[in-house]
Structures are given as structure tokens and as C-alpha cells.
Amino acid sequence: MPTQTIASPTREAPSSTSRAVEFLRRRKFMIFVIIGLTAGLVLWATGQTTALAVTAYLVLGIVIVVTAIDMVRDLMRGHWGLDILAVIAMIATLAVQEYVAGLIIALMLTGGEALEDLAARRASRELDQLMSRAPAFAQRIHPSTGEVESITIDEVQVGDELLVRSSEILPVDGELLSEHATIDESSVTGEPIPVSYGAGDHVLSGTVNGTASFTMRAQKMAADSNYASIVRLVERAVESHAPMVRLADRYAVPFTVVALLIAGFAWFLSGDPVRFAEVLVVATPCPLLIAAPVAFMGGMSSAARLNVIIKDGGVLEMLARVRSAAFDKTGTLTQGKADVVVIHPASRSSSETLQLAAAAEQYSVHVFADPIVAAARAQQLELPDVTNADEVATNGVLAHLAGGAVVRVGKPAFIEEATGSIDRPELRAGETAVYVSVGDELAGTIILSDPIRPHAADTISRLRGAGVAEIVMVTGDVAPTAESVAQTVGIQTVHAETTPQTKVEIVQAIRPRPVLMVGDGINDAPVLAAADIGIAMAGRGATVASESAAAVITSNDIARVADVAYVSRRTVHIALQSIWMGIIISVGLMLVAAFGYLPAVAGALLQEVVDLVAIVSALRALRAHKGAERDRAPRHEPAQADAAAV
């Protein structure tokens, strides 16, 4: 089949030249200051003091005015910033004729944002990679001619047959048409081993084909597909500004007071106003302003390495302080991939019970609907015609059959509304009962097994070890199933058979705060939004764009909940370390300058070095995911040993 050649299967990343041009375009003010400093150095070296003074007053005057305007705007928004020290320092250098030092301070002030931007680009590398590798083209097989044509990803329609060649990125979510495919899902789910699929299986956009080409049918358009959802989350994360990036603001007033007191005492004791300027030169607080945002961008990037997309950097600060956690059961603590294991007949046979249940469950989005329908199809059962079906939220499905019979499928309380009291079978950990009624009779009970996630118990243990005092389960499932799962994973408090509204009320009442809620993002949107932090387990792309969650785990590993909590604590620790390091170094330099041992120009140059040290310190957050992996290992081994001993 003829195939049109395309340039690239992914979106092109900007070239280094275009990035440099864009960087310089957005730094016109900094370039203006650099030109002024360069001219000032030349004039100072050639002894042209008058021209140097004119240059300094012109450059510093503009910088002071612009900075003062921004400072007033911040004050009107309720933020007391640290730029006031830089403004006072620049005014002081003009007053005592330390023009070169003043120009260096101006560069430090305008260049600090540029340094932060460069560091943030480094810190957001993982997030940038997720966006840059988004699929941009697809190979569509023409339905009439069979020819393959290259189209943009936005042109793909539901039902299109697509060719995916060796090592290409899957453009949209779809159904595999070929008999077999091997796909690398590591970029989406974190699964390092390629996964094998057969005809009819669901495959995800953003994953990478192996060595053999295959065909697939598009089931979603590009904007609705899995990887597009991830990209939207990442874009929001990159654009967000965390409350914590203003962490230095809480130190602004005391730091400003201390700096002015040291400068004032130095002037008073020495009688030399130059000392006042020399102290304030090294008091300029760029390290305090740079450290937090760089650390938090690094933490978000580190979380992305663990397949956790954090929508807002402020989530990191909140996660670091979590003291309570609530977990949904189905699809969260359990895998959400249930199988029918046994059917207990009542007024109808096992096959009739399955037929009735499957007929109604065709119209449900619950995670137990698909396995029931799949079990009926596997037995080649003919499903009765349904004239009308309604899903009753958190209860089940009410269906009217063509013959007039009314079928209910769902929780026991929902069935008992029609049948009266019914017997409930004993369930083991991971098992759930789905009850089926026809008219006023119990047709039978279907038992499904939904295995507990491998690292669920270890995750609960790690959270407790990190200081989470209260951990509860909040689920709409029946009490016996919920309590069995909770006991297995180590949760003592269980709220079962809850509705979306009661889930919200329970989570809002949990103490101590802040409280974390972990759910599957399908039926948990209200409670994820009600919690201080909501984390959605998206798995293989299910509701990956849950708008109500603050963070989304794109893998099937629940251990990522404890991992991202560790990354958050580590990130906040690094941010605070970097800020305090900046404060301590600045105070130390101020004291040296107060005794006359640090000339203004040397102090300004040293302050630039402190900026770089603060950035390097903050960038340690990029390796926070390494610590999460180490944090997981020690706890896992004793758990295995205990199990072996039992």
C-alpha cells in the first residue's frame, strides 16, 4: 500500500536558536541594564566619573521606578515583597556614589528572574518532555482504496482505521484490529515491560509501538484521548504558580527589618554612610525569591518521573503537611478489574441471572458492568431486549425489558426496595456481591472478585510512617466487602454504603487537617474536590483528566500515593533549606560589610554567587523521586518477612 512520508510523528520542539531569541525578547529590561553596566565599567575604568554618574542615575532611576511600581502593585494585592531592600540599596549607592555597585544590584534584580527562568526550565524538563512527545500525525487507511494517507491528529475521526508503524506513537485511543501488538506504555503508565495485546483490546494514545506494524480503529478523537488529557494536565501544571513560590514573603518583613537595623547600626557606629550602602548591597534577597519556585518546579518534574501529574505547585506544600487520608475502595485500593467468579441462583438459574444482569449492565458505567457483560458474552448468552434503563447513582441499574419485566441490578438495599429482606453471602477480601431481581423476586447473586492492588498495604504503612495520623476508607460498597479489604490493607476505620453526598460530608469532617482523598476519578469527583488534596488513580487512561483532582496518577501503582507524598515533603524541605541558606549567608555578609571588610562592588559580585548557590541547592528537588524509591524499599522487605513468618 502506498504511504505518504511525513516529517515527524511528534510535535516539533522549538530549536535552541528560537528558544534563545524568545528568551532575549522577554528580557529587554535585563539587556538594557547589562548595556548600562558595561558602559559604566568602561567609564569607571577610564576615569570618566561624570559620565559614569549620568549613566548610573539614568539606568538605576528607571530600574527603581519600575521596581517601585511593581512593589506597589504587590502591596495592593496583599503581598509584602523583598524588592524594597534592593530599591533602598540602589538609592543608597547613588547617594554615596558607589555607581558600579548600584548597577550590579540592578543586574542582580533584573537578572534574578532570568536565572529563575533558566533554572525552572531545567527543573521542568520531565514536564516539557511529556508535552513535546505528544503525537501530531496519524496514518489513516482510506476505506475505499486501502491507501494510507498522512493526516494531522486533529483530523482523526471516531471509526477511522489507522496504521501504526514500527516505533511510532499511537495517535489516539482505539481498538486493536491486528491479531497481535507489543506496545511500550512506560511513558504513560510507568510499566517498564512492553505489554502484549490481541485483537479487540483497547490501546492508548501516547504509548509506543514495538517493531511490528499494526492496524487499529479510532475510538476517540484526539482531544478526548488519553495523552491529550495528560498534556492538558501538564500545561496547567507548568503555567500554575504555587502559593509556596511566595514562601519567601513570610520572611520578608523580619529580613527587611534585620537588614535595615544592621545597616543603620553600621552607619551609626562608623559615622560613614558608605557602610549603610555596603550592608544593603549584600542584603538584596534574590536567593530567597529564587529558591522556592525553582524547588517546586523541580518537585513537580520529579513527580512526573513517577507518573504523577501535579496540576498546581501549591499541592506539593499541602501534601507535605497531610495529616489524614481517605481512600475509595473499588479501582483505588482494589484493581478495578473484577471478574465473575460464582453465581448463586435464587428464583432464576445461574445463566438466567447472568442474562438479566448483563442486559441491564449494558447501560452502566460502573466498573463491575463490563465484567458482567463480558461473562455473559463468553457463555454466548442471548440478552433480552431492554426498552428503558436508568442508572441510579451509587445504587445500581433499573431496567425495563421488552416483555414488561422490571430488572434491578446493584446493591442489596436497592434490591430490597423491590423484594424485601434478602440473604447476603459471606465475602472474602476483594470479593463483591451484585444482586439481581426480577419484579419482586431475587433472581440471584453474582460474586465478583476485584483483587487488592499489590502495594496497597505498604502504601498505607508508609503514609502512617510519614505522620498521617488518620486513615479511613470511604466507599459505596457494602460493609462486609469494605471491611474485608480494609482489614487486609491495614485500615481500621471504614465508612461503607455511602452516597456521593455522604462521602463529601465524611471527608469534610475528618480531623486532623489537611486531608488527602484518593479515588479513581470516575464517581469520586465531588469528594476529590471536597478534600484538601484529591488524587485520582487514572490507571490505563480512565478519566485521566479528572478536573476535580489536584493530582493524577497515570500508572496502576497505588504506591505512587506514598511516593508523591515523599516527593512533596522532600521538595518543601529543600525549598526551606535553600531559603534559610540564603538568609544565613546574606546576614553573614551583612555583618562582614558592617565592619568595613566588604566593599560595595565586591559585595554585589558575591551576592550574584549566592544566587547561583541558591539555584543549585533548589535544583536538588529534581532527584526527589530517587529518595521515594529508596523510601519504598526498606518498608517492603519487612512486610514480606512478616507475611512469611505468619
Side-chain angles (χ1 to χ4, degrees):
M1 293 182 293
T3 304
Q4 180 179 341
T5 303
I6 62 173
S8 171
T10 58
R11 303 185 191 279
E12 287 188 21
S15 67
S16 57
T17 303
S18 63
R19 285 197 300 267
V21 170
E22 175 63 16
F23 176 82
L24 293 175
R25 187 185 66 79
R26 293 189 294 112
R27 303 296 174 204
K28 294 176 182 177
F29 196 34
M30 183 188 71
I31 294 172
F32 167 71
V33 174
I34 291 174
I35 293 172
L37 175 59
T38 303
L41 288 172
V42 172
L43 294 171
W44 173 71
T46 56
Q48 300 182 49
T49 55
T50 303
L52 172 60
V54 171
T55 301
Y57 271 95
L58 174 64
V59 175
L60 295 181
I62 293 174
V63 172
I64 289 169
V65 170
V66 172
T67 304
I69 291 172
D70 290 340
M71 194 166 56
V72 170
R73 288 174 179 168
D74 285 340
L75 288 171
M76 292 176 66
R77 289 196 295 264
H79 294 296
W80 173 275
L82 287 157
D83 290 342
I84 186 171
L85 282 176
V87 170
I88 295 174
M90 286 186 287
I91 294 173
T93 56
L94 289 176
V96 299
Q97 300 181 6
E98 290 283 353
Y99 300 126
V100 174
L103 291 169
I104 293 175
I105 294 173
L107 177 61
M108 180 169 51
L109 189 66
T110 58
E113 186 180 348
L115 287 173
E116 177 187 333
D117 188 43
L118 288 171
R121 287 174 184 269
R122 168 72 176 86
S124 63
R125 181 178 56 187
E126 297 299 325
L127 300 176
D128 293 339
Q129 286 179 355
L130 281 171
M131 289 191 292
S132 65
R133 67 182 303 279
F137 298 95
Q139 311 303 311
R140 182 169 60 191
I141 301 174
H142 196 280
S144 301
T145 64
E147 292 187 353
V148 179
E149 56 181 344
S150 177
I151 59 174
T152 64
I153 192 170
D154 295 329
E155 295 179 77
V156 176
Q157 300 295 318
V158 175
D160 283 351
E161 186 175 342
L162 307 174
L163 172 68
V164 182
R165 298 175 296 201
S166 172
S167 301
E168 282 189 342
I169 297 174
L170 277 64
V172 295
D173 296 356
E175 176 188 359
L176 182 64
L177 298 178
S178 300
E179 292 185 4
H180 179 266
T182 301
I183 299 174
D184 178 3
E185 297 185 339
S186 58
S187 61
V188 174
T189 67
E191 174 58 52
I193 302 173
V195 182
S196 295
Y197 290 102
D201 287 341
H202 182 66
V203 290
L204 295 176
S205 62
T207 55
V208 181
N209 184 23
T211 57
S213 299
F214 64 80
T215 57
M216 59 177 283
R217 178 170 286 111
Q219 293 180 321
K220 291 184 180 180
M221 296 179 67
D224 302 322
S225 288
N226 173 66
Y227 205 77
S229 300
I230 293 177
V231 169
R232 284 195 294 271
L233 291 177
V234 173
E235 287 173 342
R236 284 183 55 183
V238 170
E239 293 170 0
S240 72
H241 296 283
M244 188 69 171
V245 303
R246 301 297 301 181
L247 177 65
D249 285 355
R250 72 183 64 172
Y251 302 99
V253 173
F255 185 83
T256 301
V257 171
V258 168
L260 291 175
L261 283 174
I262 294 175
F265 274 116
W267 184 1
F268 174 76
L269 294 175
S270 67
D272 185 0
V274 174
R275 293 283 180 87
F276 182 83
E278 289 174 343
V279 170
L280 291 186
V281 163
V282 293
T284 47
C286 287
L288 279 69
L289 299 174
I290 292 171
V294 170
F296 272 77
M297 187 59 73
M300 293 170 67
S301 185
S302 199
R305 293 284 296 270
L306 297 170
N307 298 104
V308 183
I309 307 301
I310 295 176
K311 295 181 181 180
D312 187 322
V315 175
L316 287 167
E317 181 187 9
M318 190 73 74
L319 266 173
R321 299 188 292 108
V322 161
R323 291 298 173 264
S324 299
F327 286 82
D328 178 40
K329 182 186 76 69
T330 305
T332 303
L333 291 171
T334 65
Q335 296 181 12
K337 298 178 181 178
D339 293 315
V340 175
V341 292
V342 66
I343 300 174
H344 298 301
S347 65
R348 302 296 176 94
S349 66
S350 297
S351 59
E352 288 177 312
T353 298
L354 185 58
Q355 273 181 306
L356 294 169
E361 292 283 35
Q362 294 178 100
Y363 301 92
S364 173
V365 296
H366 195 275
V367 292
F368 292 154
D370 284 345
I372 289 175
V373 174
R377 288 175 177 168
Q379 295 183 25
Q380 298 182 339
L381 299 177
E382 185 176 347
L383 304 186
D385 294 331
V386 177
T387 58
N388 184 48
D390 293 311
E391 183 157 20
V392 183
T394 75
N395 283 289
V397 180
L398 179 64
H400 296 267
L401 304 186
V406 178
V407 176
R408 288 179 178 236
V409 183
K411 295 180 180 178
F414 180 57
I415 303 301
E416 287 174 341
E417 292 176 4
T419 66
S421 180
I422 59 176
D423 293 330
R424 304 187 184 189
E426 292 186 7
L427 301 172
R428 294 176 295 183
E431 288 187 343
T432 297
V434 174
Y435 300 84
V436 185
S437 68
V438 181
D440 59 359
E441 296 180 336
L442 177 68
T445 307
I446 300 174
I447 308 298
L448 299 98
S449 178
D450 183 12
I452 296 173
R453 291 186 184 271
H455 302 294
D458 187 51
T459 298
I460 302 300
S461 174
R462 289 173 63 196
L463 288 175
R464 281 208 173 91
V468 180
E470 181 71 11
I471 301 180
V472 305
M473 177 192 288
V474 185
T475 177
D477 211 340
V478 295
T481 301
E483 290 168 358
S484 177
V485 171
Q487 183 178 8
T488 302
V489 300
I491 295 177
Q492 282 76 46
T493 306
V494 178
H495 300 276
E497 301 185 42
T498 58
T499 65
Q501 181 58 37
T502 56
K503 278 187 176 184
V504 170
E505 293 169 357
I506 290 166
V507 168
Q508 288 178 335
I510 293 176
R511 294 294 183 275
R513 312 293 288 197
V515 61
L516 163 69
M517 175 68 201
V518 185
D520 62 8
I522 300 174
N523 298 315
D524 297 323
V527 70
L528 287 172
D532 296 309
I533 313 105
I535 296 181
M537 293 285 300
R540 278 181 43 78
T543 64
V544 71
S546 175
E547 291 299 320
S548 57
V552 177
I553 298 175
T554 62
S555 70
N556 283 309
D557 189 356
I558 194 173
R560 296 310 187 194
V561 175
D563 289 345
V564 75
Y566 175 91
V567 167
S568 299
R569 295 192 305 275
R570 179 64 179 155
T571 298
V572 171
H573 183 66
I574 288 172
L576 289 171
Q577 272 187 340
S578 302
I579 286 171
W580 275 107
M581 180 191 66
I583 290 174
I584 291 170
I585 294 176
S586 293
V587 170
L589 291 175
M590 280 188 278
L591 292 173
V592 173
F595 287 98
Y597 296 116
L598 191 60
V601 173
L605 293 173
L606 275 176
Q607 193 64 38
E608 290 286 2
V609 175
V610 175
D611 287 358
L612 295 175
V613 172
I615 289 174
V616 172
S617 174
L619 283 174
R620 290 180 295 147
L622 284 170
R623 298 184 58 82
H625 65 283
K626 297 287 187 182
E629 293 168 0
R630 291 191 296 270
D631 182 63
R632 183 195 295 206
R635 283 178 165 66
H636 190 59
E637 291 170 6
Q640 288 180 327
D642 292 344
V646 173

